[in-house]
Amino acid sequence: MSEERPTPDAAQEEAVDEVPHATDADAWATACAEDLAAERARRRAQHSPPPGSAAEELRRLVDTVADKLSSIQSPLLGAVAGPAAQQVVRQVVQQAKAAVEPVIERNPDVFDHLAAAGGELLAAYRSAVQAQERRWTARAKDLQDDLKNDLKDLHDRRDGGEGTGPGERIDLD
C-alpha cells in the first residue's frame, strides 16, 4: 500500500475551503433575513394598500372610528332611548369629522412630522429601557458575585474543627 501525501496545493485548497465555513452561518442568516424581508414586501404589496401620508392615515382612522361608533347599538339605553342616542352619536361624530378635516387639509405635513417624531420618541424610549435592563442585569450579577464572596469569606473565617458545631470562632481577648 502506498500512502499519498497531499500536495501543498491541495493543503491550500482545503485551508481556503475552511475559511468560508466559519462565515457560512452568518451568510445563511443574512440570506434568510433578506428572503424573509422580500417575501414580506411582496405580500404587503399584494394584500394591503400602500401606506399613505400620515394625514391620509389619520383621515382613514377618523372615518373608521366614525363608522364603528355610528353602527354601535347600545343595549344599556333600551329600545326607547336607542334611536335617540344613536342620532346623538352620529351628530357628535359628524361634528368631530368637520373639526378634523380642515386641520388635516391645511397642515398635511404637520402629521408627517408628528409621525416621524413619534418614531424617534419610540426609539429613544426603547434605548432607555434597554439601558435600564442592562443595569438591572449587571446589578443582579454584581449581587450574585458579592454573595459568593461573602459566603467564601464566611467559610474561610469558620473554626477549623476545635468546636462541636459549625459556629464561628469568637476571639474574646
Side-chain angles (χ1 to χ4, degrees):
M1 283 173 113
S2 69
E3 288 187 26
E4 292 183 20
R5 292 189 169 199
T7 63
D9 293 335
Q12 287 177 353
E13 287 176 11
E14 286 178 16
V16 169
D17 286 343
E18 289 176 12
V19 172
H21 292 298
T23 59
D24 278 347
D26 293 336
W28 180 257
T30 303
C32 288
E34 289 172 356
D35 289 346
L36 182 62
E39 180 64 20
R40 285 183 178 161
R42 185 185 67 78
R43 286 183 184 222
R44 196 176 305 119
Q46 279 183 345
H47 299 293
S48 65
S53 69
E56 291 172 7
E57 293 295 319
L58 179 61
R59 188 176 288 124
R60 286 179 38 201
L61 175 66
V62 168
D63 289 340
T64 303
V65 169
D67 291 343
K68 288 293 182 183
L69 286 176
S70 297
S71 66
I72 292 176
Q73 295 181 359
S74 177
L76 299 175
L77 297 175
V80 175
Q86 198 169 20
Q87 183 63 27
V88 170
V89 168
R90 283 188 187 133
Q91 186 178 7
V92 169
V93 167
Q94 290 301 324
Q95 288 175 348
K97 282 175 72 173
V100 169
E101 282 295 325
V103 174
I104 292 173
E105 288 177 15
R106 280 188 304 229
N107 306 311
D109 293 339
V110 170
F111 295 102
D112 291 332
H113 291 296
L114 287 174
E120 290 181 17
L121 283 173
L122 180 63
Y125 174 76
R126 187 176 296 141
S127 175
V129 168
Q130 288 173 347
Q132 184 62 38
E133 287 175 346
R134 278 193 298 275
R135 278 183 283 216
W136 285 337
T137 56
R139 193 175 306 146
K141 183 165 176 40
D142 290 343
L143 289 174
Q144 285 178 341
D145 291 343
D146 290 345
L147 181 61
K148 286 179 185 176
N149 291 336
D150 289 345
L151 289 174
K152 185 178 183 297
D153 291 344
L154 181 64
H155 180 61
D156 291 343
R157 288 188 308 190
R158 298 245 168 148
D159 193 2
E162 292 181 8
T164 58
E168 188 176 329
R169 181 173 181 225
I170 301 173
D171 190 12
L172 299 175
D173 290 333

